[in-house]
Amino acid sequence: MDVDTHTVAITMGDPAGIGAEIIAKGYPKLLADDRVRPVVIGDAAVLRAAIENCGLAGERRVVAVDSVDEAVTDADAIPVLDLANVDPESLEYGVVREAYGQASLEYVERAIELAREGSIDAITTAPINKQATKRAGSEYAGHTGMLADYTGTESYSMMLIEGDLRVTHVSTHVPLREACDLVTTDSVLETIRVTDDALVELGVDEPTIGVAGLNPHASDGGVLGETEAREIEPAVVAAREEGIDARGPESPDTVYVAAARGAYDCVVSMYHDQGHIPIKMLGFSGGGDGSEGDGDGENGESNTNADATVSGVNVTVGLPILRTSVDHGTAFDIAGEGIASERSLLQAVSVATDMAARRGAR
């Protein structure tokens, strides 16, 4: 029986980071799934340098193409839609440069264009560096806001996946004081809705969603705050009236444990660290630094990518196009050494392929 093939564009990320390395190491493994046709969007010269750094010169080669239609999948040949926007003679790893930020933005922009016109079925992003993209003039805190703006999406969220634990967020890259103010009935309800839709697209039948509180012990009946009763509980009630199996607000210090044990298919988190910490406790369990990794596939400092157990996937839910990402940053501390782990990339492409297959079957 013929298998439907889905084209997943992999953006290379910041040229000074590990994006090209994890692509170089992981590409042949992606082809084990005959449903996926992976095509890289980036700079061919940067990818060739990464192949050298990984000691794979005799096993991999780069094939620069001008269009997705020209890309042919082969275990030893990586097709790259070559934007040729990096000077290979001056390529330097582990540094923040405006030119590198601009290059990484151009990769994502091209991927969005291709997705919107239907030339690709999904996007998987390697990490960018927020400092570099800011120097390049970007107003976005990361991939997520950029993708939402470019697709005209108002209701969206970041979903992180690690094993059986999934989390989404009411807010992400904002200061904590501001994040507290963003916990409103409308914002929580919209996050519950896009979470429910995404879980169905991920193949979860009749999803159950746990909703975390903002305050310790979910305010303990009003003793430790009013946000739960005033904003979060009404959102949960409204969601249930719409037929969504949402429960909460639950105590933030126990709801993630319950979800990891199967009580919930996803936890709606109220802010960035509330959802990221439990995911990274699981995904970065193999040791290493990991303190600077970012679930949006961004940031520039240390990550645990050198350890083979680094894992996790980020999905931007609520978009009209499919996008997944690695769950780590650019790992500037090890970039160019050829030791970065490709595991998160493999998982991210797999999730993108699964979602593309389900969306295509509808």
Side-chain angles (χ1 to χ4, degrees):
M1 183 175 68
D2 293 335
V3 176
D4 290 335
T5 302
H6 306 281
T7 302
V8 178
I10 306 171
T11 59
M12 199 175 66
D14 192 295
I18 62 167
E21 292 179 36
I22 60 177
I23 292 170
K25 295 173 74 173
Y27 188 84
K29 298 176 184 178
L30 296 174
L31 302 184
D33 185 346
D34 56 6
R35 300 173 305 157
V36 63
R37 178 180 178 235
V39 179
V40 179
I41 301 179
D43 186 287
V46 174
L47 187 54
R48 290 190 182 101
I51 289 172
E52 292 281 349
N53 294 337
C54 294
L56 299 171
E59 304 174 35
R60 310 275 195 281
R61 57 190 175 89
V62 174
V63 179
V65 298
D66 295 321
S67 70
V68 173
D69 291 339
E70 296 179 17
V72 177
T73 55
D74 193 322
D76 67 352
I78 306 176
V80 180
L81 191 60
D82 185 16
L83 273 60
N85 53 4
V86 179
D87 179 7
E89 299 300 322
S90 62
L91 179 60
E92 185 177 359
Y93 299 105
V95 297
V96 176
R97 285 187 181 171
E98 176 184 335
Y100 297 161
Q102 182 61 41
S104 62
L105 289 170
E106 291 173 2
Y107 305 148
V108 179
E109 289 170 353
R110 178 63 64 86
I112 295 172
E113 291 173 3
L114 293 170
R116 294 186 68 181
E117 69 185 32
S119 297
I120 60 174
D121 300 300
I123 303 168
T124 294
T125 56
I128 62 176
N129 181 281
K130 290 190 283 287
Q131 296 178 48
T133 56
K134 184 176 181 179
R135 289 188 184 184
S138 176
E139 62 186 77
Y140 305 105
H143 283 105
T144 303
M146 180 180 179
L147 285 154
D149 195 16
Y150 276 52
T151 57
T153 305
E154 295 184 3
S155 298
Y156 59 92
S157 181
M158 176 192 297
M159 176 182 284
L160 302 182
I161 305 172
E162 173 54 47
D164 294 329
L165 181 61
R166 305 178 186 91
V167 304
T168 52
H169 304 73
V170 172
S171 69
T172 50
H173 297 120
V174 296
L176 185 55
R177 290 183 185 277
E178 183 178 339
C180 294
D181 294 334
L182 293 174
V183 179
T184 66
T185 299
D186 287 344
S187 64
V188 175
L189 178 58
E190 281 302 306
T191 305
I192 295 172
R193 287 169 174 160
V194 297
T195 299
D196 187 66
D197 289 341
L199 289 170
V200 171
E201 195 156 43
L202 284 165
V204 179
D205 294 326
E206 300 180 356
T208 300
I209 300 170
V211 181
L214 173 68
N215 294 297
H217 305 296
S219 85
D220 203 6
V223 175
L224 301 174
E226 301 177 353
T227 303
E228 283 73 14
R230 187 179 64 244
E231 307 292 349
I232 302 176
E233 187 173 348
V236 173
V237 171
R240 293 185 66 85
E241 289 175 349
E242 294 177 9
I244 300 172
D245 188 359
R247 306 175 188 181
E250 304 288 349
S251 179
D253 63 354
T254 58
V255 67
Y256 297 98
V257 176
R261 292 175 176 172
Y264 306 111
D265 295 304
C266 188
V267 178
V268 172
S269 309
M270 293 302 112
Y271 57 93
H272 182 283
D273 284 11
Q274 190 185 61
H276 276 60
I277 289 173
I279 286 288
K280 295 201 171 179
M281 285 289 290
L282 294 176
F284 286 9
S285 61
D289 186 340
S291 60
E292 302 281 348
D294 192 304
D296 204 12
E298 295 138 16
N299 217 9
E301 305 303 327
S302 299
N303 283 288
T304 57
N305 300 304
D307 191 284
T309 64
V310 175
S311 59
V313 178
N314 167 31
V315 184
T316 306
V317 299
L319 299 175
I321 62 177
L322 296 176
R323 178 261 177 165
T324 66
S325 175
V326 297
D327 190 22
H328 58 71
T330 48
F332 277 0
D333 57 330
I334 61 169
E337 297 180 17
I339 61 174
S341 168
E342 70 275 21
R343 182 175 178 183
S344 185
L345 176 70
L346 301 179
Q347 293 173 325
V349 173
S350 179
V351 171
T353 304
D354 288 343
M355 295 183 74
R358 291 191 181 94
R359 182 171 288 192
R362 284 200 259 171

